[in-house]
Amino acid sequence: MRTQMKWELEDPYNLIVFMFGFVMLGITFFSGLTGSDVTFMISGPDGIIVSEAAKTLGLMLPRLGTEEYTIFALTGALLVSLMMRYDRDTRVAKSVYSLPVRNHSVVLSKALSAMVLLSLASVLSAFLAFVYIHWDVSNLIEKALFDEGFLTGYLLYWAMMVLYVVSVSALVAMLSPNTFASLLGSITLLYSPLVLKLRSLPPAVIEDAFFKAYTTQFYPSDRIAAFIDGSFYMGILLPAVMLGAALILSEWRDVS
């Protein structure tokens, strides 16, 4: 699996898609941060003022709005479609799947590779844009990330988003006859909740759980627990089931 992942991570087509996502998400995050105008007034002891300022800064960490999610979903769908369908369309899969490994192991390595590239494209661009804008209050950034517990929750937020996009795309890829159908089907399913304004499906349900947890809970551990509790079914369980279904389907169908 490690060799397969290395091969996928070094594939030039996958790296081009990664660079597309990284640059476009970085530009969008930067524009969102520079265009936001947040003003807050706090009175009281210095410790309370610093804590509330750090919490406000933590809530400004770049997340997926409509524009960002569109680029994020497109990047994930492209990565998965290229990894799981393109080699089948070009018959390269006949050599890959003839190796002494199970089909589900090959598909899992492709899914994990897509998760790695999508995570790097999104998290790195988000942090770089955020730090570049707010580097002059580095002490507040450190307090927000560590003392207020935003770092753990923020990484969990991205892990759920990445898992959801890759799982949906992987299941569609296993059901699709070719790369084009896989890409079109993945984008349709990933973008439908935004068009239909469904708050019970990602990305809205994960975003709502994160915002509610970090605005209603006081202690970092309580925030993380509340976030997981509010997003577990749609952010973890559902994607895990879809990814499992994709792995099962990979064993049932041939490489065409």
Side-chain angles (χ1 to χ4, degrees), residues 42-98:
I42 307 168
S43 60
D46 291 344
I48 298 297
I49 294 175
V50 171
S51 177
E52 290 300 317
K55 185 188 300 184
T56 300
L57 192 64
L59 290 172
M60 293 173 63
L61 284 164
R63 300 193 297 277
L64 295 175
T66 302
E67 294 180 354
E68 294 86 351
Y69 181 74
T70 301
I71 300 171
F72 180 77
L74 177 59
T75 303
L78 278 169
L79 284 170
V80 175
S81 297
L82 284 173
M83 291 182 184
M84 296 190 182
R85 289 304 321 174
Y86 187 69
D87 59 353
R88 293 170 181 248
D89 294 350
T90 57
R91 300 296 185 265
V92 174
K94 291 184 179 296
S95 298
V96 175
Y97 287 86
S98 66

Side-chain angles (χ1 to χ4, degrees), residues 205-225:
V205 66
I206 299 176
E207 170 64 26
D208 291 347
F210 180 90
F211 187 79
K212 181 178 179 180
Y214 279 85
T215 53
T216 60
Q217 302 296 324
F218 182 76
Y219 296 106
S221 58
D222 293 338
R223 292 171 180 167
I224 295 169

